[in-house]
Structure formats: structure tokens, C-alpha cells
Amino acid sequence: MLDFESKGSLLGIQHINAVSFLPSLASLAHRLITRGPVRTLPTPRRVRAFFNHTCVVDTTHALYVWEHEHYPQFYVPQDALKQGCWSEKDDIGDGAKILKIHVGDQETDRVIAFGAKAGALNAMVRIEFSSVDVWLEEDTPIYVHPKDPFKRIDILDSTRPIKISIDGVVVASAPASMHLYETTLPTRYYLPPTSVDFAVLRTSKTVTACPYKGEAEYYDVVVNGKTHKDVIWYYRRPTLECALVAGHICFYNEKVDIELDGVKLERPKTFWS
């Protein structure tokens, strides 16, 4: 049985972090109607959404929609919405409407219904991912956002020795590590926790969530009196597909110096640089 009361701190964290970044639904709808999405892809997976203990969406005709280049959202046919759980709220132009989903004493209006002017999105509905309790692909919960079907993760054991330095001070060294390869991202090196100098670590309150790996906790590192915020993360309970990195420690390549098999690596330029 799915436990909606403890559906996972992943959803709670994702919801809190997303509040500041919720798009204007009218602006988003206008952009998608006039410019189109980056891409779309039908999926035969059964997709369901639950709100206030009730299934409000159930479909095998969901659509992956890339509103931007980074990851997709699920759009569902309007006729997949459970009857009696929704109503029209506002007309926002271009044939698009804001819907309100209401179950018992809870409601959300983070819902767009698209009309004929939306092309491939005609008759589809976008429900803000974080506005409902939980999403399922078949019978498996998904967190943060739908997984990108074009993204892949490989975790490989490597006996190439690795050394991590911050401001010229070695803070971690290991004869082997796990290399995590994730499409479009730099290789991440996961080290055994015993390879790190725990004297320089300070527990951080930062927690983030990833749909592929799970919920990450962080450490700050203090070197020569300077605190380097959140340069280390680790997963206590990663997702099944990334279970191999459980308890291992990873440094932001962008913020530290990494020497792999005697060769100093260049710091990659990414969002986290």
C-alpha cells in the first residue's frame, strides 16, 4: 500500500525548493503555444497522480514535454482527469485555461489545460509536479520531476587512485573509487567515507533531491580557517539504480582539485561552478 502520509521527504524538499521558482502559468502557456515546447515524446507507461489520498489522474497516454532543455514534465489528456475532481477557474487566452483540482478540503490551481491553438499540446493538461501528493509510473513513485528517457547513469568501479585537494590541502585520498557517469554532467567520483579527513568536515543543513539518485545530504569543508560550503554530498538511502554509492562521499569537481591516476583534472564549467 502506498503511504501518502510519509510519501518521502524527497517530495517535501522538492516542493519547498520549487516554491520560489514556480512559473507564471499564463506566461508559460503563452510561450508554449506561440513557440512550442523543445520536444515531446509519447509514453505507454501508466501514469497516475494522487491528491489528498485520491487518484486524480490515470492514463497510459501521457506525454513527456520538455518546456526547457534540462528535463521533461508529464502532460496528460484532459479526459484522464477524474470526473468531479476538477473545474475551470480562469481563461488565460490562446485557448488555454487554468483548472482547479479539488478533493475534500484541499485544492490546487497549478493546472493548465491547452486548446486547439497549442498544436501537439491540444487537449493536454499540465499539472504542477509538486502540487500533488505523489506521481506513479506504473506502480513506482517518482520524485522531483519525471526521469528523462534520454538520460542514463552508469556506476563503474575504478582502481585508479584519486586525491582531492582544497586550497592546496589534501582532504581525501583513496586507491579506488566509484565513477558515476550521468548524461550531460561531469563524471562524479564517489569515495569511501574512510578516505576523507573527517577533521575538516562540518555537517551542513543543506538537503537536495534528485529523481535518479535520491536525497542528498552535505558537508562543508574547513581548510586554513576558510569554510567551503556544501562541497561534499552523500546519499544515505539512494534509489535502487544508484544503490552502489550508498554512504560514499562525492566532491563537486567544480570546486575542488581532483588528481586521478596522477593526472590533475580540469575543473568543469557547470551550473554549480
Side-chain angles (χ1 to χ4, degrees):
M1 177 178 291
L2 193 64
D3 182 355
F4 293 100
E5 297 299 333
S6 59
K7 57 186 178 290
S9 55
L10 293 180
L11 287 177
I13 291 164
Q14 184 263 342
H15 177 69
I16 291 169
N17 287 348
V19 168
S20 301
F21 304 101
L22 293 180
S24 160
L25 296 185
S27 297
L28 175 63
H30 179 72
R31 176 170 60 82
L32 290 172
I33 292 168
T34 56
R35 302 181 190 175
V38 175
R39 72 170 73 155
T40 63
L41 181 72
T43 176
R45 305 178 189 206
R46 184 185 185 190
V47 172
R48 286 176 286 171
F50 285 78
F51 184 68
N52 197 16
H53 306 270
T54 301
C55 181
V56 294
V57 172
D58 190 347
T59 183
T60 55
H61 295 90
L63 189 68
Y64 287 111
V65 177
W66 281 260
E67 300 167 349
H68 47 69
E69 295 182 354
H70 304 295
Y71 54 81
Q73 296 290 346
F74 276 139
Y75 284 42
V76 299
Q78 186 164 339
D79 61 13
L81 299 181
K82 182 177 179 180
Q83 291 300 315
C85 287
W86 63 275
S87 58
E88 292 185 4
K89 180 180 179 182
D90 295 309
D91 187 326
I92 54 176
D94 298 315
K97 301 179 185 296
I98 298 295
L99 304 185
K100 181 169 66 176
I101 293 177
H102 42 81
V103 178
D105 60 351
Q106 295 188 29
E107 62 180 43
T108 179
D109 60 0
R110 300 296 298 176
V111 184
I112 307 172
F114 290 89
K117 292 183 179 180
L121 304 183
N122 179 35
M124 302 300 287
V125 171
R126 177 196 192 269
I127 301 174
E128 193 85 58
F129 197 87
S130 60
S131 68
V132 298
D133 298 330
V134 67
W135 290 82
L136 300 178
E137 287 182 325
E138 296 297 338
D139 291 281
T140 301
I142 52 175
Y143 306 108
V144 187
H145 60 74
K147 295 180 180 179
D148 189 330
F150 298 104
K151 182 180 281 284
R152 173 179 173 141
I153 290 179
D154 292 303
I155 301 172
L156 306 179
D157 286 315
S158 174
T159 55
R160 288 193 283 170
I162 187 168
K163 184 166 63 177
I164 313 292
S165 302
I166 297 178
D167 288 347
V169 177
V170 176
V171 295
S173 180
S177 61
M178 292 184 180
H179 296 189
L180 188 148
Y181 298 90
E182 182 173 351
T183 308
T184 75
L185 294 179
T187 305
R188 300 302 188 186
Y189 305 99
Y190 284 80
L191 285 65
T194 52
S195 66
V196 182
D197 179 3
F198 272 80
V200 303
L201 301 187
R202 303 292 184 272
T203 301
S204 170
K205 293 182 179 180
T206 300
V207 180
T208 61
C210 167
Y212 310 98
K213 297 183 288 293
E215 183 179 294
E217 299 175 63
Y218 287 75
Y219 284 116
D220 301 334
V221 175
V222 178
V223 174
N224 296 328
K226 180 180 178 182
T227 299
H228 300 263
K229 291 288 295 179
D230 298 332
V231 295
I232 293 175
W233 72 85
Y234 63 97
Y235 297 93
R236 293 180 189 268
R237 295 174 295 276
T239 59
L240 182 61
E241 64 198 282
C242 291
L244 288 173
V245 301
H248 283 58
I249 285 178
C250 187
F251 290 79
Y252 271 114
N253 314 41
E254 298 89 338
K255 300 179 180 181
V256 303
D257 293 316
I258 298 178
E259 185 178 301
L260 183 64
D261 205 14
V263 178
K264 184 177 178 179
L265 305 183
E266 291 187 16
R267 293 190 183 187
K269 300 294 184 182
T270 72
F271 173 83
W272 298 279
S273 297

